[in-house]
Amino acid sequence: MEAKAQVRYLRMSPMKARRVVDLIRGKSTVEAQDILRFAPQVASEPVLKLVQSAIANARVKADQAGERFDERELVVSAAYVDEGPTMKRFQPRAQGRAFQIKKRTSHVTVVVAPVNK
C-alpha cells in the first residue's frame, strides 16, 4: 500500500529542491531520512519533513486496512519537484530603472511504498 505526501508553494527554487530530492529517490525511508538529516542543502529540511509525513500517512493507511506496518520495509518509490507560481518583485536600480526579481516556488511530492511491490 503506497502513501503520498506533498508540500505546495514551498518558497524555494525547483532546481535547488531537485538536487535534494534526487538524492533519496529509490532509497529506503530509513536511509533517506539519514541522508536528509546530514545533507548541507537548505532544501533537505522541508524534504525530510515531507518523507516523515509520507511515512505517517502510510502508517494511517495500514491501520485503517488492518495490515501490519513496518517503517523499515518502505521505499521512496517516487519523488519529484514541480514548479509552482513565480512571485514577481521589482528592485529599484540606477537612473530610475527597475530590476525584476523572480521569487520561485515549488511543489514537492514524495511517494512511499513497500519494497516487495
Side-chain angles (χ1 to χ4, degrees), residues 19 25 33 44 47 75 77 82 87 109-110 115:
R19 283 181 56 201
R25 191 177 296 116
Q33 287 178 340
S44 62
V47 174
V75 171
S77 60
D82 295 324
M87 297 185 288
T109 305
V110 172
V115 74

Side-chain angles (χ1 to χ4, degrees), residues 2-54:
E2 69 178 27
K4 179 172 90 167
Q6 61 183 166
V7 60
R8 303 192 68 207
Y9 307 105
L10 179 65
R11 264 294 292 123
M12 186 166 300
S13 163
M15 187 178 287
K16 292 178 185 177
R18 281 187 193 111
R19 283 181 56 201
V20 174
V21 169
D22 289 342
L23 294 174
I24 64 166
R25 191 177 296 116
K27 303 261 192 317
S28 72
T29 54
V30 177
E31 187 179 354
Q33 287 178 340
D34 289 341
I35 289 170
L36 292 171
R37 272 194 198 95
F38 297 108
Q41 291 87 0
V42 176
S44 62
E45 185 180 343
V47 174
L48 174 63
K49 289 175 78 171
L50 194 61
V51 169
Q52 291 170 342
S53 177

